[in-house]
Amino acid sequence: MSAQKGGWVSSLVFLLFCASSIPKCGSASLQQEPSPQHYFSGLEAGKTSLAFFTPSVSPGAQPFLEQIESSAEVLKDYGISVVKVNCPKEDVSRYCGKENALRKAFLFRGNRLIREFPTDALFDVNSIVANILFALLFNEVKYVETLADLENIENVLKGKSNMVFAYVPATGTAEHRAVMEAAFVYGTIHQFVLTTEAALLKATSHDDPDVSSAWLLFCHCQQVTEPAQPCRRTALAQPLTLLSIHRHLKLMGAPLVTEVAEDPEKISTVHLQLGLPLVFILSQKETYEADRRTAEFVAWQLLGKAGVALLSRDLVELNVLHRSNVALKTPEEGMPIQYLVLEDTDEVITLVEDKNKVKQIQEDEQEEEEDEDEKENNNQDIQDDQVVEAVSRDKKRELPLEQILVLTEENFHSSLSEAARTVVLFYASWEAVSLAVLRSYSEVAAHLKGTLGVLLSRVNCWDWPGLCSQENVTQFPTIKIYKEGQQSVTYDGMWGTEELSSFILLSQVPCPLKLTTMDEAEGYLRGEIPSELSSHHHTSLLGVFSTDTSKAREAFEEAGNILSGHVRMGMYFEDDALALSRKYSVSPPALLLARSGGRSVEGIALSKHSVQDMVQMIRYELLDIFPEITVSNLPQYLQLGKPFLILFSAGNISQMERKEMLKLAKGRPQQAFVACWLNLKKTPVGHGILRTYFSTTPPLPVLLWVNLHAGGQVFKFPSEQSITEMNILSWLEKLQAGLEIPSSTLSEEDWKPPLPAYDFLQMMEPSVPELSPQPGKTPDPPKIPGGDTARGGGDTASREEPSQESTAEEFGSPGRDLRGTAPRLAARDKQGKRHSEL
Amino acid sequence: LGLALYAGGLCTVSGATFLYHDYCVIGAGPAGLQAAYFLQQAGRDYIVFERSHAPGSFFALYPRHRKLISINKQYTGKSNSEFNLRHDWNSLLSHDRRLLFRHYSRDFFPNADTMVRYLEDFASLLKLRVQYNTAIIHVTLEKNEQAWNGHYFLLTDQDRKNYKCSSLLVAAGTWVPNVVNFPGSEYVEGYETVSINPDDFVGQTILILGRGNSAFETAENILGVTNFIHMVSRSRVRLSWATHYVGDLRAINNGLLDTYQLKSLDGLLEGDLEDLAIVKDKMGKLHITLRFYLENRNISAGIDSITLPQDELDNFATRAPYDRVIRCLGWKFDFSIYNRSLRMMPGKGNIKKYPQIKPSYESRGTQGLFVLGTASHSVDFRKSAGGFIHGFRYTTRAVHRLLENRHHGVPWPSTVYPITQLTNSIIKRVNEASGLYQMFSVLADIILLRENATAFEYLEEYPIGVLAELERQTGRKAGSGLFVIIMEYGKNFSGADKDVFYYNRAVGEAQHAWQSNFLHPVIYYYKRLPTEHEMRLRPPDWPLPRPDAIHHIVEDFLTDWTAPNAHILPLRRFLENCLSTDLRNFFAESCFLFAFTHQKLPPSCQQGYMRMQGLLGSQELLHHAVQAGLLQDYSHTDFSGDRPSESHDGSQEQLMRDHGIPVHPLQHLVNAKDE
């Protein structure tokens, strides 16, 4: 069987060679001789030649000739000429006369015949080169058949020279040729020993060897001093090729440990040149002997895989940790030397072998990329979403939710009518933001405990999706406040405890609240009315309308609806409205604004009467002139789309600073910028901002101009100047004139995916070949109805049923099959239409 | 009102009087009633024709032994009504919560009479317009350019009454019994009429032709009283728990497999019924022989002259004579009532019991004719659940939505969300959606991205076979890329001969999710809509062509895909990388920092915080975020500024660098499926 296979392979090789050698036929390296006489007369002593004799017409030997011709070039390199000798018809000499001789090739040194080869031993270039060199290197390459022969040779060599022992599964193979070619070069230095005996292979290698592949051992017999001592052996780990053997012998020839006394960066050894790493054992005078032993031990372990050098630290100035004891230099250009602190020689070996392993994979399958990817991406499965991670770390804590009513599809509508205001949090129990809000919501519940007329409740949309979609909740979380189970307001503010509590409280009172007496109006402005809100400080807004300004009044009421929950709005339109507005020196329709904390009341004339304008104006008026920026109010000021002039302060700002900044904010056209300040105590994240702008926190307070919307430059007000309106104004002028250099610029970076995803498409491709990137390249496999012809094909009906055919085949399983017991009977009767509905 | 409508619909064509309706539905079985419900909800002009006096006439007779094999799971431990439909295979879709099958039966496998009662209630409670006792015996076309589809459908009933419709929905089911003809087939009793009283089989030897659920159901009923039962069919037995196809042999019916394998005389054989012949001997016993022998003999001669297989092969398997042979070969669609012009053709191969339809459920031969219900199963035969109530209630809804768009300009319902809701919207659907789950690999949720990927539009349960036609079929635009969300079993997991219990069959780790075997969500990403050409060239066994990226959510033992790290995180990374953006959530404090340090903001800050809907977070949560290294705590910073300049290059990097210790999942629990 294997012979047959071998024959097949060789004929294939032969075919390939035919194909490749046709144009080369009659190449220059093949000598032609007109006759045997001519040939023998021309033979020089000491020159080797391979001759074959052909009659002028030789039909049979043609394939052999082509192989010979193509190996002529190779043999020429070894000083062997290949000669084709033409036999004249009448010649009946030794070489031409006998039919037998024409089927052979003859190897001559001078005119002495060394060997004759039957042409079937020379089936391809490998076999020709291997066999001819084998014949020529009879002394250099010993052929052994038994273990005893091998041991004899080994014993003889001990103390004298090294041995190269090769096992090849058969002579005439590519491996055999590689060994012979190596022997041609190294045969005078090392003793070569060859075998084809599988038993010998088994005796010389440790584990169960694969007898079908070649194997080469370098036996270090030269250093052996005691006859009883065995020769150390180093096996060649790669497949046998001339190159790998050459490389191996070169490495075996290199000194075991190189002593180095110069900068390791500059060192180059055989190992590095051959692409192997070099391990330095760092030594000191005191430990030299021990280090040397260590180095030798490691060197033996790494023989053929890496070089080992002993580096004396006393001789070389090394700028590395004193503790470092090992260094690794890799053959890659420009890779820095790694200095390591290792405790065990095994670690050195692992270090090298792992490197090699990675390299091997890279060479073999280029899987290394993936490997590295995996290493790089092993963060992929680590949560990097702060909200999700925070919530999942908090999931074991039991939330105080007893104040919050759980609503279901069953009790939802009945519960809504129980209280004047029902707050409903719609959330999903698996969703992180929802759960974060649920935590704040539970705090709101604690805040509002005891507040009359407000019921806090929640609906888990994961349990009641129908209810949520019915209430028009499409995203989580959503908070709605239902008034008497009727209309609802959707909360659109910050998801924070205070903001939400305040919204719920403000939503309790009508917006705007209708005030009926002057006293009420005054009380409202003082924050005393309505009493529910008296303990909370909000800016109070009072619309004052005379009876004839109904249009403005309607717009104001509508604006109140929109701003409900966010603003405390009152409305006064009694007969004496004029008197009230006069008190604040405006005429109706007008707004009276009593800011929280401040006692003064501002009067603003209402000039625009559209709802949208009114909402916008109210929102704008509620903004501070010189606000303290916090996490929750920043978006309101950012919406103005202006640059920020912001004073970062370690705590509260001084009266002086406030006064100057207020002057600046009030005195200038306000449209130009937002003057504000930030209390780092209250908003510690401000430190993060400062650190981003300046690598360290600058001396505080610090005044900055931040172009948040255009260009992103950050300018720092000179710290040596005092913060006064005048100084700032002149600085701003310089800024505008482009005379100042920005301290920092905001990052323009896009928000890209923080980490790559699993590339399943790429992972699937090897196992799903039909998933090729170009669908055009893999057209549907032609559908050949299986076995159709055998079953009386040509029947269009059956041809149209490929799937049926294939299922039918699938069912041809062993078992108690009618067809199985009477197969021939049934098969004969397979024509015609088939029943298909089973 | 009904009368007025009917009167308005009267019209006269070529002398005959036609009652006109926009939609005619043939059959008031589950699919016909389901279609009627959606038409009614949409306020369409429709009528359902039913040949019997009540809905669900098929169920009045079948299954003969009255046990439905569609599960009626009353308890799932969840109140989510959509999720619970995943395990309710009998209910039709409606807004009326009374019409859930669990209110009708407490049996896990309910009685067929309950189904009939349920369908009656469904039709009457919802006031569906069903015309009973009307058997449509002929359907033909009338060309008319004004008609929706260039023709009207003309229907004739048994009383020669005529009806005319613009669109015809065929929900007639498959009710014509499959028969097989071979010499001696006259001795065979049909499943339709065979006795269901076990007493009639006492001490008999039975041969059953067929290997479907009806065959096994018949066997199950008489297993205890017969001598033995043999079962013959051409195909090997296909167990539904191995093929993951509910139409294959269900475990509830497979008692005979047990007795066969335990050598209790019953047995299964494979053989082509076409090869069979049955001869009756003088004792009335039925002998199995091969058609081959008969063809060479004089048939008129007596039994003695006919060769039996055992004459040549004396261990021939079915040499024992039988007392009865029962045919249980299933049903096929009634093609006979359709005029040739409608070109209602049978499918090819193993789907020839069904009419040929497109993946949009429209007939291949006639525009405007849609096939619903069991008869539409050719789309997913032996794959998904389109032939069964729990599947076709969704495909019927899909057809209705296609029709709404085509004839009434009502685009496919969709919801628009900001991009920050992308992960959530997918997680919500894959965890509760029943249509995706039942009609796996057939119906898909589609996410159409808006320009710049700041928002997206979510379409539910679209038939993926017509993905290429999405814009035309739904009236929605798919210009900026799309995600397709479907559920799939592992590619090589299902099959009649597959071992579905092998060790390590379940994947536990998200990074190997593509090798998941059990039903799990798969998300395909396309930068543009695949063309019809690409759809045709898709890899075999693939529901869709090669996407630009694909994501599998790892299979889950509880089919609960809400785990933050194993399910949601990899999904988010996939979506982020498709859209090239950062979809993380941030606390308001982080957004605040970004607002002052970056010119651009991540979507969650942009669409939340900047619109004054930032997540301020409770103290505990912020503390946890700091602990996890995902948020920096600046409150304890002293002002000397001694921290090295590490963090000045942006907090983004900071967030990346400061990862906490990973919480490694408990591997053995993750893989607990095998234990």
Side-chain angles (χ1 to χ4, degrees), chain A residues 379-390 393-394 397 409-410 430-431 433 436-437 439 443 462-465 474-476 492-496 499 629-631 634-636 638-639 646 650 678 683-685 687-689 691-693 695-696 700 708 711-712 746-758 760-761 763-765 767-768 770-773 804 811 816-818 821-822 825 828-830 833-838, chain B residues 78-80 97 178 180 233-236 269-270 272 274-275 291-293 295 312-313 316 318 329 352-353 382 417-418 421 424 427-428 431-432 510-511 513-514 539-540 542 546-548 550-552 562 564-565 569 572-574 576-577 580-582 584-590 592-602 609-610 612-618 620-621 624 628 630 634-635 637 639 641 643 645 648 652 655 659 662:
Chain A
N379 285 339
Q380 271 174 314
D381 50 357
I382 296 173
Q383 187 60 258
D384 54 359
D385 184 311
Q386 48 183 236
V387 180
V388 176
E389 182 63 19
R393 281 174 184 237
D394 198 43
R397 186 168 65 95
E409 235 157 54
E410 277 82 34
W430 50 265
E431 203 260 338
V433 177
V437 169
R439 277 155 178 79
E443 291 174 2
W462 167 226
D463 289 334
W464 309 104
T474 55
Q475 28 181 299
F476 317 119
D492 58 356
M494 287 279 174
W495 298 114
E499 287 77 3
I629 288 295
T630 61
V631 169
L634 174 71
Q636 297 173 28
L638 275 179
Q639 278 181 347
I646 179 165
L678 187 143
T683 314
V685 65
H687 286 292
I689 299 170
R691 272 188 213 148
T692 310
Y693 293 164
S695 41
T696 55
L700 296 170
L708 283 172
L746 306 193
S747 157
E748 260 189 298
E749 245 182 299
D750 280 321
W751 287 85
K752 293 287 177 199
L755 285 171
Y758 299 126
F760 288 138
L761 204 55
M763 293 182 209
M764 287 164 104
E765 255 160 23
S767 62
V768 191
E770 60 270 27
L771 193 70
S772 84
Q804 196 189 340
F811 301 134
R816 305 178 93 198
D817 191 332
L818 277 180
T821 38
L825 303 174
R828 245 182 285 168
D829 194 30
K830 276 296 293 173
K833 57 185 189 320
R834 268 181 295 284
H835 178 68
S836 62
E837 302 298 342
L838 293 179
Chain B
K78 293 196 166 70
S79 62
N80 187 316
R97 279 161 57 207
N178 270 317
V180 59
S233 105
R234 199 193 51 199
S235 57
R236 60 166 288 167
L269 302 113
E270 282 78 37
D272 200 327
E274 293 282 335
D275 298 336
R291 182 197 282 261
F292 166 72
Y293 291 118
E295 276 164 7
E312 289 183 1
L313 259 167
F316 181 67
T318 52
L329 297 173
K352 75 175 168 200
K353 58 178 159 178
R382 285 195 178 156
Y417 297 95
Q421 292 295 314
N424 280 353
I427 290 292
K428 174 180 152 69
N431 277 296
E432 66 183 25
Q511 56 182 330
W514 68 278
W542 276 60
R546 181 193 161 93
D548 291 298
I550 194 165
H551 183 72
H552 289 250
T562 59
N565 287 310
L569 176 63
R572 193 196 82 213
R573 296 216 190 284
F574 166 74
E576 282 173 336
N577 282 279
S580 188
T581 186
D582 184 336
R584 287 180 292 180
N585 298 297
F586 291 99
F587 286 114
E589 191 178 304
S590 296
F592 180 84
L593 180 67
F594 298 153
F596 269 107
T597 55
H598 287 70
Q599 300 198 35
K600 294 167 185 160
L601 291 181
Y609 180 70
M610 290 304 283
M612 282 175 273
Q613 300 209 1
L615 184 64
L616 290 170
S618 67
E620 290 90 352
L621 288 184
H624 283 303
L630 294 168
Y634 296 97
S635 55
T637 319
F639 292 13
R643 245 185 94 97
S645 59
H648 85 285
Q652 159 80 356
L655 283 173
H659 281 311

Side-chain angles (χ1 to χ4, degrees), chain A residues 512-563:
Chain A
L513 179 70
K514 290 184 185 73
L515 302 163
T516 47
T517 66
M518 276 288 260
D519 282 348
E520 262 188 3
E522 296 282 3
Y524 173 81
L525 285 175
R526 283 194 303 273
E528 291 156 6
I529 292 174
S531 53
E532 299 101 294
L533 302 179
S534 57
S535 55
H536 299 265
H537 301 291
H538 295 280
T539 299
S540 300
L541 214 112
L542 182 63
V544 185
F545 302 93
S546 55
T547 36
D548 57 332
T549 52
S550 65
K551 199 177 160 225
R553 204 180 74 204
E554 278 159 24
F556 185 77
E557 279 182 278
E558 191 53 42
N561 262 335
I562 293 171
L563 293 168

Side-chain angles (χ1 to χ4, degrees), chain B residues 3-59:
Chain B
L3 265 176
L5 239 163
Y6 284 12
L10 268 178
C11 60
T12 314
V13 176
S14 62
T17 312
F18 290 94
L19 275 161
Y20 174 81
H21 293 282
D22 284 348
Y23 293 95
C24 288
V25 183
I26 301 182
L33 296 180
Q34 186 67 82
Y37 170 74
F38 291 121
L39 290 167
Q40 175 127 324
Q41 287 294 106
R44 302 298 163 213
D45 169 27
Y46 77 95
I47 184 84
V48 183
F49 299 112
E50 169 56 46
R51 65 188 147 108
S52 176
H53 63 280
S57 56
F58 185 88
F59 288 99

Side-chain angles (χ1 to χ4, degrees), chain A residues 24-41:
Chain A
K24 280 198 262 168
C25 275
S27 65
S29 49
L30 181 72
Q31 257 173 277
Q32 297 254 5
E33 287 294 346
S35 73
Q37 288 87 347
H38 205 267
Y39 168 63
F40 286 115
S41 62

Side-chain angles (χ1 to χ4, degrees), chain B residues 132-149:
Chain B
Y132 294 105
N133 302 312
T134 308
I136 300 301
I137 55 161
H138 191 67
V139 180
T140 185
L141 290 180
E142 177 198 280
K143 288 263 174 290
N144 187 318
E145 282 183 13
Q146 257 78 63
W148 290 352
N149 298 293

